Amino acid sequence: MTPAPRWQDAGVNSLDPYGDWASNDGADFLLDFKRDLTRIRQEAREPNFWATIRTQPSGRSDDETEIPFDYIRMGFIERALRLSVGPPPIDDLKPDDPAVFTVPVALRRDALHEAQTPPAAPDAPPAGPAPRRFADVADVDLDDADVIMIVVDHAPNPAHEAFLAPDGSRTRVLWHWAQEGQARAGQQTPFGRALSGAEIDAARRAAPDPETAMRRLGLIDVARDQQPVGLARTTHGAAVAALAAGRLGAAGPPHAATGAERAWLMTVGLPSFGNWDHSGAGLTVFVSYALHHALLRALALIAAQNKPRVRVLVNLSYGISGGPHDGSGMMESHIDAVLRTYDERWRKVFHPSSGPGAALPDGVPATAPIALTLPAGNGLQSRAHARAAGGEAPGPVALAVDWHVPPADRTSSFVEVWLPGDAEAPAIEIAPPNAGQATTWRPQLVRDGPSVVARKLISADGRVLARLTFDRPFFSDAKARFVLALAPTDASAAAAPRDPAPAGVWRIRVAAGLKPRQEIAAWIQREDQTVGLAQRGRPSRFGGDASYRRFTPAGAWREMPGDEGGAIRRFGTLSGAATGRAPLVVGAFRGSDRRASPYSAAAALRPDPPGPPPERERRTPVAMLAADRAPTLPGAPTASNRSPGGVALAGTSAASALAARRLADAWTCADADPAALLRSLAEQGEAEIAQAPPLSPPLPGSPDARSTPPDERGGRGRILPSRSS
């Protein structure tokens, strides 16, 4: 008889549970990545690792110009943890501070190449910081009515014909950063490859076909790429960028170019390594770098030409399932901080003498005209969120769920359980499949500051099957969390032979003493891979809640009321990246019957902690857009990764890109509030829907299409397609 797995205390190498798993117990499960990263992971376990790499490269000749991804990810985390590198707090991040946004290794000086300050243009503001010059950005003449669209996604194709100017003379892509690309000496990004619009145009004109152009630009390198997604016929980034600002009607009847089809673009391709665990938890570092460098270049271009009315739109069609969902998550905090810093720098350029009672310069908006759109998430029906709320009096609260983990999953799986930071006597019980008796753990943390303790589940052959961490996250000191990391249930592709984690039902119960109206909330990290990458994971789910009903009596997805009082919830499935203050979050509906798309996620019914109405409004979607054509025709038509070619992109990722496109078309006045504009368009759409006869009768148990979706799902309502779209 095989001995049962046993729990034992584990050491902690990082205050980030995901980084700790990736660098140690879960290192064997990083599939599809080049083997030379194994050496780096091993090196990371050595004593004084960070002290060593901060003073000298690791010995490889290319380390002076190119940084292995583990260095970048782990170095960013260590900076954020405020350990030996010690950055300023998030609220004080400045995008021109090299101590915050450079990688933690000694690079050759010209690899980071600080931007030069050019002579002031004749019409430049007389005061304020001088604009910076970036040689990797195409030189164009901006107009006050112009829009700069920044798209951060996985594998956008900057050489696509959808991004040509209306007259076809040149690309509208001013700058592209392939974060996984081969670095070049003297470049102005700390890693990857940056391309200017001139380079893109030259490659397009010289190449006989789109694939050759991408190879010449370094966007396809089979020998080097972690995954050669440039060869894919469809990628998430190509589809999203085309939805946001592509000339989709180029093959159709002639029409005047819309605002989105005239917009200048800056695109960033996120690395496949950033999505190593399918959860997106490792993506924060690369998203932060992308926003920082793209916005620096946009501001430099705008400032150099003294065009304060040029509007900047950013679309990040990506989300995560985990996180505190209260605006304090690492990705949320950094998105808010970078956008806030852009506004501060913009004010220093265009309002150099602003202060209480100071008059604004003529023609200059009061604040930077910038907006960032994010998807609400696709997890409404995923059964990946559970919650237990306390009452009006303090007392014990317990959340009990069954975690159904499927077989043949070749990736790690994660569950996060979040508690208030002041929860008393937190404890967790875990019973693996067929284990019989549950094991209880009552972790102890230091009272002040970030802290973490861990245990691991060991198999009979001495391999780690799971790792359980309890920490007070450095980015959310008002919260505490358990993170259960599970090895794949199919370990056949692991770097070394080993036992898989047991598939089946993992029984989890978390209990703590809480104050009135506090909650315990759990989220399963997503395991679906982005379009264009190999699908290795299989999604797990929560179960054991008899009150949760998936379908209506007619067989349709149950959406409303959605929560029947059990632990598993539909409300509260909003993306973990979408509860910050700055982004404009959008959901999805179907164009055929105007009903909300069944997957479009929802915010929690009751904020925690309860806040005033403006605060609640920031943490729910702003509106919904038509990301699906019909129940049998999911997705919005867009471009594939090759010219010509098309694909339908489904999900709130498409809705987010469509929201950016709508803003590019309708946000014509830099003084206008983009959030208010979307809400106004949604109210107009709701009024039109209410006055029109239903396009199809509702199924029994389904909402009438004329009824407005609740605020938690649809914000102010549905924005109907414009007649020019």
Side-chain angles (χ1 to χ4, degrees), residues 60-119:
R60 291 175 54 186
S61 60
D62 62 343
D63 276 352
E64 291 186 328
T65 56
E66 185 175 5
I67 316 304
F69 282 118
D70 265 15
Y71 282 13
I72 299 167
R73 184 191 62 77
M74 294 176 66
F76 186 93
I77 296 295
E78 296 301 329
R79 287 181 178 280
L81 290 175
R82 309 172 192 177
L83 296 180
S84 58
V85 186
I90 283 176
D91 285 346
D92 295 332
L93 290 182
K94 305 299 180 187
D96 55 350
D97 180 1
V100 176
F101 283 100
T102 57
V103 290
V105 283
L107 297 179
R108 203 169 56 204
R109 185 66 171 174
D110 62 353
L112 291 175
H113 193 75
E114 294 185 355
Q116 307 275 323
T117 300

Side-chain angles (χ1 to χ4, degrees), residues 248-426:
L248 298 176
H255 66 280
T258 64
E261 293 172 338
R262 293 190 304 270
W264 299 107
L265 283 100
M266 294 184 178
T267 54
V268 180
L270 299 170
S272 53
F273 182 86
N275 207 32
W276 60 269
D277 59 3
H278 289 208
S279 73
L283 221 77
T284 297
V285 48
F286 300 105
V287 169
S288 297
Y289 273 117
L291 294 176
H292 158 71
H293 281 277
L295 289 174
L296 271 183
R297 283 156 176 78
L299 181 57
L301 192 61
I302 291 169
Q305 301 186 35
N306 192 24
K307 297 293 183 182
R309 302 188 71 79
V310 170
R311 294 162 303 290
V312 175
L313 293 172
V314 185
N315 182 72
L316 174 62
S317 283
Y318 210 95
I320 56 176
S321 302
H325 289 72
D326 62 359
S328 67
M330 190 171 178
M331 183 177 287
E332 300 163 299
S333 298
H334 279 271
I335 289 174
D336 285 353
V338 172
L339 293 182
R340 182 171 59 248
T341 303
Y342 175 87
D343 181 69
E344 293 171 357
R345 288 179 54 85
W346 183 93
R347 289 171 186 255
K348 289 179 180 178
V349 172
F350 294 109
H351 296 170
S353 302
S354 62
L360 296 178
D362 290 341
V364 178
T367 59
I370 184 172
L372 184 146
T373 53
L374 274 179
N378 304 329
L380 191 81
Q381 309 292 350
S382 63
R383 290 174 287 174
H385 171 51
R387 184 180 297 260
E392 297 299 326
V397 176
L399 172 64
V401 291
D402 292 345
W403 185 21
H404 292 247
V405 179
D409 182 0
R410 298 175 68 186
T411 64
S412 303
S413 302
F414 302 90
V415 167
E416 294 184 359
V417 184
W418 288 83
L419 307 91
D422 57 359
E424 296 182 357

Side-chain angles (χ1 to χ4, degrees), residues 447-485:
R447 297 303 301 175
D448 299 317
S451 181
V452 57
V453 290
R455 306 189 81 197
K456 53 187 177 183
L457 184 64
I458 307 296
S459 67
D461 67 352
R463 301 283 186 173
V464 176
L465 301 178
R467 184 180 181 88
L468 177 61
T469 303
F470 182 68
D471 71 324
R472 184 180 295 111
F474 62 92
F475 54 79
S476 184
D477 55 9
K479 292 289 185 77
R481 66 174 171 178
F482 288 99
V483 178
L484 177 57

